[in-house]
mmCIF file of all heavy atoms in Angstrom:
data_model
loop_
_atom_site.group_PDB
_atom_site.id
_atom_site.type_symbol
_atom_site.label_atom_id
_atom_site.label_comp_id
_atom_site.label_asym_id
_atom_site.label_seq_id
_atom_site.Cartn_x
_atom_site.Cartn_y
_atom_site.Cartn_z
ATOM 1 N N PRO A 296 -38.429 183.702 -13.253
ATOM 2 C CA PRO A 296 -39.191 182.785 -12.401
ATOM 3 C C PRO A 296 -38.270 181.760 -11.750
ATOM 4 O O PRO A 296 -37.252 181.364 -12.304
ATOM 5 C CB PRO A 296 -40.166 182.117 -13.382
ATOM 6 C CG PRO A 296 -39.496 182.238 -14.720
ATOM 7 C CD PRO A 296 -38.760 183.548 -14.685
ATOM 8 N N PRO A 318 -40.314 166.755 -2.453
ATOM 9 C CA PRO A 318 -40.815 167.145 -3.785
ATOM 10 C C PRO A 318 -41.263 168.597 -3.871
ATOM 11 O O PRO A 318 -41.206 169.194 -4.957
ATOM 12 C CB PRO A 318 -41.998 166.191 -4.008
ATOM 13 C CG PRO A 318 -41.739 165.034 -3.081
ATOM 14 C CD PRO A 318 -41.034 165.614 -1.894
ATOM 15 N N THR A 355 -22.839 169.264 0.141
ATOM 16 C CA THR A 355 -24.288 169.468 0.036
ATOM 17 C C THR A 355 -24.965 168.273 -0.613
ATOM 18 O O THR A 355 -26.074 167.879 -0.215
ATOM 19 C CB THR A 355 -24.572 170.750 -0.770
ATOM 20 O OG1 THR A 355 -23.869 171.849 -0.173
ATOM 21 C CG2 THR A 355 -26.056 171.063 -0.785
ATOM 22 N N ARG A 420 -15.206 172.533 20.669
ATOM 23 C CA ARG A 420 -16.071 172.954 21.782
ATOM 24 C C ARG A 420 -17.167 173.873 21.265
ATOM 25 O O ARG A 420 -18.344 173.709 21.600
ATOM 26 C CB ARG A 420 -15.236 173.663 22.852
ATOM 27 C CG ARG A 420 -16.050 173.955 24.119
ATOM 28 C CD ARG A 420 -15.413 175.076 24.927
ATOM 29 N NE ARG A 420 -14.100 174.765 25.413
ATOM 30 C CZ ARG A 420 -13.823 174.275 26.631
ATOM 31 N NH1 ARG A 420 -14.800 174.028 27.464
ATOM 32 N NH2 ARG A 420 -12.569 174.058 27.003
ATOM 33 N N LEU A 560 -29.258 140.112 5.779
ATOM 34 C CA LEU A 560 -30.510 140.333 5.072
ATOM 35 C C LEU A 560 -31.257 141.472 5.739
ATOM 36 O O LEU A 560 -31.356 141.530 6.973
ATOM 37 C CB LEU A 560 -31.370 139.071 5.081
ATOM 38 C CG LEU A 560 -30.852 137.862 4.293
ATOM 39 C CD1 LEU A 560 -31.904 136.761 4.291
ATOM 40 C CD2 LEU A 560 -30.465 138.245 2.873
ATOM 41 N N GLU A 818 -5.191 169.069 51.593
ATOM 42 C CA GLU A 818 -4.995 168.403 52.881
ATOM 43 C C GLU A 818 -5.703 167.059 52.933
ATOM 44 O O GLU A 818 -5.356 166.193 53.740
ATOM 45 C CB GLU A 818 -5.513 169.285 54.024
ATOM 46 C CG GLU A 818 -4.794 170.628 54.150
ATOM 47 C CD GLU A 818 -5.388 171.686 53.231
ATOM 48 O OE1 GLU A 818 -6.271 171.327 52.415
ATOM 49 O OE2 GLU A 818 -4.955 172.849 53.308
ATOM 50 N N THR A 851 -8.796 161.699 69.674
ATOM 51 C CA THR A 851 -8.933 161.037 68.373
ATOM 52 C C THR A 851 -10.192 160.172 68.345
ATOM 53 O O THR A 851 -10.472 159.436 69.285
ATOM 54 C CB THR A 851 -7.707 160.155 68.082
ATOM 55 O OG1 THR A 851 -6.539 160.987 68.083
ATOM 56 C CG2 THR A 851 -7.836 159.478 66.715
ATOM 57 N N LEU A 923 -39.033 134.532 60.755
ATOM 58 C CA LEU A 923 -38.511 135.731 61.408
ATOM 59 C C LEU A 923 -38.801 135.709 62.907
ATOM 60 O O LEU A 923 -37.947 136.054 63.728
ATOM 61 C CB LEU A 923 -39.125 136.986 60.759
ATOM 62 C CG LEU A 923 -38.633 138.328 61.299
ATOM 63 C CD1 LEU A 923 -37.132 138.463 61.118
ATOM 64 C CD2 LEU A 923 -39.362 139.474 60.590
#
Side-chain angles (χ1 to χ4, degrees):
T355 306
R420 188 201 297 265
L560 293 186
E818 298 85 353
T851 300
L923 182 59

